[in-house]
C-alpha cells in the first residue's frame, strides 16, 4: 500500500468534522500510521483563566474521543503551537519514542478578530491580534518544522502540507482581512521552505487552497450559509468536499514525488472564476 511503514503527523483535529480528520483517515486507509496533536492544557501554559482552562480541556477531550472513534489507537499528544516550549517538548517526545515522520499536515488557524461570523475591519486590528493570528496560523509552520528537524524526527524526503484559502491572494465575496494576511504569509513560507528544505533534505513543502466548508468548528465560526452557497454557484464543479482535499493531501504525501513549492487549489474550480 502507498503508505506502508510511513508515519505522518496530523495537526489541527478538533473533532470528527475537522478537515485534518479526513486526511488522517485517508492515510490510514492507504496503510499509513498517524500521530495526532490537539489543543489542550500543556505543562507550559501559565496563568490560564478558569475559562481558558475549561475551553482547552474540553477541546482536548473532544479531540481525543474523536480520534479514538475514527482512527482507533492513533497516538495523541497536546500541542499548542503558540508555545515554543510545547513544540520542542513534543518533538523531543517523538524522538524519545524513536518515531520518525514521513511528513506532516499543518491544519491550524486562529483569528480572534472574527467573532460570531463578523469580521473586524483591518483598520481596527491591534498589534496583538495581528501577531497572534500570524504566529498561530503561519509562523507555526516554520517552528514545528524547525523542532522536528532539530530533534531528527522529520526524515529526509518527507512531505509537508498546509491548508490555505483563496483569500490569501484575492479579496472574495467574504473578505477575511486579518487571517487573509496570515494565509498569504503561510503560502510564502511554504515556497521559501520548499527551496530551503528541498535543497538540504529533499523535503517537499506544499499548500492547498480549499473551498469554504462550514462543517468544522473554524468554518462554522467564520462562514455564513450564503457565503458557501455563493462559492458553490461560482465554482464550475461546485464546492470541493473534504474527501477531495484528503485525496490531494495523500497525493502530496506520496513518497518520492517531485512536487514542491506548489500552492494548489482543491476548490471545484472557484479560482478560475470571478
Ligand atoms: N473550513 C474552511 O472553510 C477552510 C477552508 C480553507 C482552509 N481551511 C483551513 O483548514 C485548516 C483546518 O481548519 P478546519 O476548517 O478543519 O477547522 P477546525 O476548527 O476543525 O481546525 C482548526 C484547528 O486549529 C487548531 N488550533 C487553533 N489554535 C491552535 C494552537 N494555538 N495550537 C494548535 N492548534 C491550534 C484548533 O484546535 C483546530 O483543531 C485551517 O488552517 C483553516 O484555515 C479551512
Amino acid at each position: 500500500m502507498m503508505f506502508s511503514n510511513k508515519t505522518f503527523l496530523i495537526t489541527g483535529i478538533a473533532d470528527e468534522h475537522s478537515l485534518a480528520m479526513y486526511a488522517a483517515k485517508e492515510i490510514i486507509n492507504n496503510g499509513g500510521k498517524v500521530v495526532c496533536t490537539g489543543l489542550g492544557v500543556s505543562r507550559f501554559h501559565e496563568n490560564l483563566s478558569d475559562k481558558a482552562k475549561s475551553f482547552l480541556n474540553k477541546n482536548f477531550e473532544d479531540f481525543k474521543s474523536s480520534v479514538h472513534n475514527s482512527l482507533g489507537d492513533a497516538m495523541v499528544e497536546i500541542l499548542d503551537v503558540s508555545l515554543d516550549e510545547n513544540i520542542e517538548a513534543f518533538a523531543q517526545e517523538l524522538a524519545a519514542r524513536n518515531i520518525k515522520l514521513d511528513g506532516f499536515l499543518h491544519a491550524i488557524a486562529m483569528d480572534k478578530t472574527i467573532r460570531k461570523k463578523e469580521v473586524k475591519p483591518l483598520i481596527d486590528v491591534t498589534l496583538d491580534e495581528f501577531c497572534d493570528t500570524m504566529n498561530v496560523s503561519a509562523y507555526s509552520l516554520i517552528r514545528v518544522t524547525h523542532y522536528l528537524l532539530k530533534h531528527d524526527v522529520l526524515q529526509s524526503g518527507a512531505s509537508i502540507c498546509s491548508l490555505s484559502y483563496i483569500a490569501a491572494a484575492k479579496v472574495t465575496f467574504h473578505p477575511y482581512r486579518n487571517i487573509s494576511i496570515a494565509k498569504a504569509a503561510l503560502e510564502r513560507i511554504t515556497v521559501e521552505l520548499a527551496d530551503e528544505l528541498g535543497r538540504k533534505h529533499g523535503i517537499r513543502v506544499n499548500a492547498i487552497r480549499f473551498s469554504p466548508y462550514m462543517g468544522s468548528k473554524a468554518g462554522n465560526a467564520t462562514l455564513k450559509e450564503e457565503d458557501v452557497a455563493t462559492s458553490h454557484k461560482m465554482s464550475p464543479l461546485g464546492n470541493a468536499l473534504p474527501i477531495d482535499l484528503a485525496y490531494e493531501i495523500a497525493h502530496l504525501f506520496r513518497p518520492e514525488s517531485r512536487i514542491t513549492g506548489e500552492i494548489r487549489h482543491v476548490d471545484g474550480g472557484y479560482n478560475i472564476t470571478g
Side-chain angles (χ1 to χ4, degrees), residues 12-14 18-19 79-81 107-109 163-164 183 211-213 216 218:
I13 293 179
S18 291
L19 293 171
L79 178 62
D80 183 335
V81 294
I108 295 171
L163 301 187
S164 189
K183 288 298 189 195
S211 294
Y213 161 68
S216 63

Side-chain angles (χ1 to χ4, degrees), residues 47-239:
N47 307 322
L48 280 178
S49 66
D50 288 347
K51 198 173 155 206
K53 214 180 282 174
S54 75
F55 167 80
L56 288 172
N57 279 330
K58 166 141 187 6
N59 197 86
F60 195 67
E61 285 313 310
D62 291 350
F63 154 74
K64 253 195 335 197
S65 64
S66 57
V67 168
H68 182 72
N69 293 339
S70 302
L71 307 177
D73 61 356
M75 177 178 167
V76 288
E77 289 286 321
I78 291 177
L79 178 62
D80 183 335
V81 294
S82 67
L83 302 170
D84 218 48
E85 304 85 340
N86 192 175
I87 308 176
E88 179 151 38
F90 168 66
Q92 284 169 319
E93 173 70 23
L94 294 186
R97 295 195 191 196
N98 206 21
I99 292 174
K100 299 280 184 200
L101 294 177
D102 299 282
F104 77 88
L105 176 68
H106 180 286
I108 295 171
M110 187 278 299
D111 181 6
K112 290 187 182 149
T113 72
I114 306 177
R115 286 205 182 273
K116 296 190 181 143
K117 304 179 192 278
E118 292 306 321
V119 179
K120 191 174 191 178
L122 189 59
I123 201 78
D124 297 328
V125 170
T126 66
L127 179 62
D128 277 353
E129 287 168 341
F130 184 87
C131 292
D132 284 353
T133 297
M134 195 57 97
N135 184 21
V136 169
S137 314
Y139 179 65
S140 60
L141 178 62
I142 300 180
R143 229 39 200 158
V144 172
T145 309
H146 170 87
Y147 284 119
L148 292 176
L149 282 172
K150 179 178 172 190
H151 294 287
D152 207 15
V153 172
L154 197 60
Q155 312 201 87
S156 296
S159 177
I160 300 170
C161 182
S162 63
L163 301 187
S164 189
Y165 184 54
I166 189 83
K170 281 191 194 176
V171 176
T172 71
F173 51 89
H174 179 270
Y176 273 99
R177 310 300 183 205
N178 194 37
I179 187 77
S180 301
I181 298 167
K183 288 298 189 195
L186 181 73
E187 293 187 1
R188 191 65 214 167
I189 290 167
T190 297
V191 171
E192 297 296 341
L193 285 182
D195 185 58
E196 208 171 282
L197 303 183
R199 290 173 193 284
K200 251 196 202 150
H201 307 285
I203 289 177
R204 294 161 280 149
V205 194
N206 296 287
I208 303 174
R209 293 179 182 164
F210 183 56
S211 294
Y213 161 68
M214 276 185 79
S216 63
K217 278 188 181 165
N220 195 262
T222 50
L223 292 158
K224 297 177 183 159
E225 302 269 0
E226 59 261 37
D227 302 328
V228 179
T230 305
S231 165
H232 190 63
K233 226 185 296 163
M234 286 177 71
S235 306
L237 301 177
N239 286 330

